[in-house]
Amino acid sequence: MNDDSTKIGNAQIDSAQIYSPTPAHTIFDSYRASSVAAPVASTTIDHQPLTDGFSRRLTYLRLSITDFCNFRCEYCLPNGYQGKRPDDELSVPEIATLIRGFAQVGTKKVRITGGEPSIRRDVVEIIQTIKQTPGIETVAMTSNGYKLGKHLAKWQAAGLNQLNISMDSFDADTFYKMTGFNTLPQLLTDMDTLLQTTDIKLKINSVLMAETAFENLMDAIDYVKDRPVTYRFIEFMQTSDNSDLFFAQHAHSDTIIDYLTEHGWQPHVRGSSDGPAVEYSHPDYVGRIGMIAPYAAHFCDTCNRLRVSSQGKVHLCLFDQGNYDIRQHLQTGDVQGLVETLHSFMPIKPEHHHLHESNSGIMHNLSIIGG
Ligand code: SAM
Ligand code: SF4
């Protein structure tokens, strides 16, 4: 253990493991200076659910299995993936250890994300591994849908429960302009196949852009008329890689919400374990329209998640200033050590992000950790 290591609860954390502009001792000093109670001893925390310093229950893990992506979405990777794909992504045995640890501390739902998760050849094995972990109730994945048609049956057989597909437009030319791929017609066909042949719950994600918002909303309303699908707008989030486009295209969530409420759509009653997304339903429509509005007040109050990167770093908030390396636990199959380390993070999970101050922390683009 090096001399810079810091003791938090029962977890020894090396400052060298935290690659962050904020040195570890600063982070932990501020945690110590706050009035948040220190974690209790490991003998009493085992199997306790993760609850952070703001009484938020963390039952949802978003796991990135690669930061590589084949698409060039203009708001995310406008110039495509830069450099060589890393060769040290988490292995299936490491993922098995990770999920066992998270399941022990109350995680019920795991979302596989990226980059583009479907480019991993072992994605089916990863879905299976997560699904078979006792305590995990829901396995979800977020994908650009490029490989949907080819792999749908295998994903379903492996136990995938939910799939979120990113589809920013119903217009083929706009889709091409936004992603660099001319695959919208195939994607629409593949999503209908999913609806007709599987019980995988489908949601569609679309980044809210000023230029396309209204046309997209009209198309989405048509689309969900007879389909059991939620089409969700995500407010465009600023990162250091997309500032110019952000200032040109950012639109407020009210643009959509005002239209919906004026046309008979009602916010859906949300469960206590639901995250910050709000869904609107209408008696004449089978599907729903959703809104994820990270710039809205109190968005972070209902945060229920932790994120782990494809290199085994925990991100306590999407837009945090640093992250925390848990890979040693994963490499050695140390579930107990992982459980203790996860508990030790609870007092320092940030209350909210700082996007309003144009501060996206270390998140240059969302392919790093998957949104
Ligand atoms: N490649 C997969 C996909 O596109 O679905 C998973 C990773 S992607 C980073 C996850 C989600 O983040 C997508 O729905 C994408 O639209 C969204 N996203 C990416 N950059 C964003 C940004 N700057 N603002 C809002 N949403 C963003
Ligand atoms: Fe790739 Fe998803 Fe980012 Fe698009 S949003 S570039 S598909 S990671």
Side-chain angles (χ1 to χ4, degrees):
M1 191 64 64
N2 85 29
D3 290 336
D4 292 337
S5 63
T6 305
K7 189 107 166 74
I8 320 172
N10 291 285
Q12 197 77 32
I13 298 191
D14 260 4
S15 59
Q17 290 178 307
I18 303 167
Y19 61 91
S20 154
T22 313
H25 59 80
T26 313
I27 296 171
F28 297 135
D29 283 348
S30 65
Y31 136 59
R32 284 197 201 92
S34 77
S35 57
V36 178
V40 291
S42 67
T43 47
T44 58
I45 60 176
D46 287 358
H47 304 285
Q48 292 291 312
L50 289 181
T51 306
D52 74 3
F54 304 95
S55 303
R56 295 175 298 197
R57 246 327 145 77
L58 307 178
T59 56
Y60 177 26
L61 168 65
R62 296 180 63 102
L63 170 63
S64 172
I65 58 171
T66 180
D67 67 3
F68 180 83
C69 188
N70 54 334
F71 272 32
R72 300 185 290 276
C73 298
E74 55 181 350
Y75 48 78
C76 182
L77 292 175
N79 301 312
Y81 187 85
Q82 300 293 302
K84 199 171 151 284
R85 178 177 165 192
D87 56 10
D88 59 349
E89 292 163 349
L90 291 178
S91 66
V92 174
E94 285 177 304
I95 291 172
T97 299
L98 177 82
I99 303 302
R100 280 208 302 278
F102 269 86
Q104 280 198 22
V105 293
T107 296
K108 305 268 180 246
K109 174 175 173 180
V110 179
R111 176 171 302 282
I112 301 165
T113 181
E116 177 47 41
S118 66
I119 56 119
R120 264 190 75 154
R121 287 177 195 277
D122 53 2
V123 68
V124 169
E125 212 185 325
I126 292 171
I127 296 169
Q128 256 165 0
T129 301
I130 298 173
K131 181 72 180 182
Q132 287 164 4
T133 306
I136 301 302
E137 295 167 0
T138 307
V139 182
M141 185 158 73
T142 303
S143 167
N144 60 27
Y146 184 71
K147 300 211 172 189
L148 176 60
K150 194 168 167 206
H151 295 302
L152 174 60
K154 283 187 234 158
W155 295 349
Q156 171 164 52
L160 188 69
N161 302 109
Q162 299 179 1
L163 185 63
N164 289 7
I165 294 289
S166 299
M167 195 189 89
D168 294 301
S169 176
F170 289 87
D171 176 77
D173 293 338
T174 309
F175 184 92
Y176 174 66
K177 181 177 155 279
M178 291 181 80
T179 63
F181 275 71
N182 212 348
T183 47
L184 180 70
Q186 186 62 51
L187 180 57
L188 288 167
T189 303
D190 293 342
M191 288 194 299
D192 277 340
T193 304
L194 179 152
L195 293 173
Q196 286 153 15
T197 62
T198 78
D199 57 2
I200 296 172
K201 192 168 161 195
L202 177 66
K203 295 189 182 187
I204 300 175
N205 290 342
S206 165
V207 177
L208 176 60
M209 298 275 182
E211 196 179 8
T212 53
F214 188 71
E215 188 186 341
N216 227 359
L217 176 61
M218 296 302 103
D219 290 341
I221 287 174
D222 275 354
Y223 186 83
V224 303
K225 175 90 178 131
D226 300 310
R227 290 179 176 86
V229 175
T230 301
Y231 191 90
R232 306 191 306 177
F233 290 90
I234 309 175
E235 263 183 350
F236 188 3
M237 293 179 264
Q238 182 184 6
T239 64
S240 48
D241 287 358
N242 68 22
S243 288
D244 289 349
L245 187 68
F246 175 85
F247 287 115
Q249 289 295 339
H250 178 78
H252 198 275
S253 56
D254 287 354
T255 320
I256 302 294
I257 293 168
D258 289 351
Y259 182 94
L260 291 174
T261 48
E262 281 162 19
H263 290 80
W265 293 77
Q266 298 287 335
H268 195 75
V269 178
R270 301 164 68 221
S272 58
S273 63
D274 288 345
V278 181
E279 294 189 359
Y280 292 76
S281 58
H282 188 295
D284 299 339
Y285 292 78
V286 174
R288 294 181 182 168
I289 304 292
M291 175 54 72
I292 300 175
Y295 288 87
H298 305 296
F299 177 79
C300 300
D301 292 358
T302 51
C303 184
N304 61 353
R305 61 205 59 196
L306 287 175
R307 295 173 171 85
V308 173
S309 77
S310 54
Q311 258 90 35
K313 308 263 196 314
V314 173
H315 292 243
L316 298 175
C317 169
L318 180 54
F319 298 111
D320 208 352
Q321 302 299 326
N323 51 37
Y324 305 88
D325 198 333
I326 54 166
R327 189 121 197 205
Q328 212 185 354
H329 295 308
L330 310 184
Q331 286 167 336
T332 55
D334 177 17
V335 175
Q336 183 59 28
L338 173 62
V339 163
E340 293 179 11
T341 297
L342 292 175
H343 276 290
S344 73
F345 292 148
M346 289 304 95
I348 56 166
K349 180 171 160 68
E351 184 176 17
H352 54 77
H353 61 65
H354 292 273
L355 276 178
H356 300 87
E357 296 132 49
S358 291
N359 179 353
S360 55
I362 56 170
M363 205 50 58
H364 303 302
N365 61 67
L366 295 196
S367 83
I368 295 171
I369 191 71

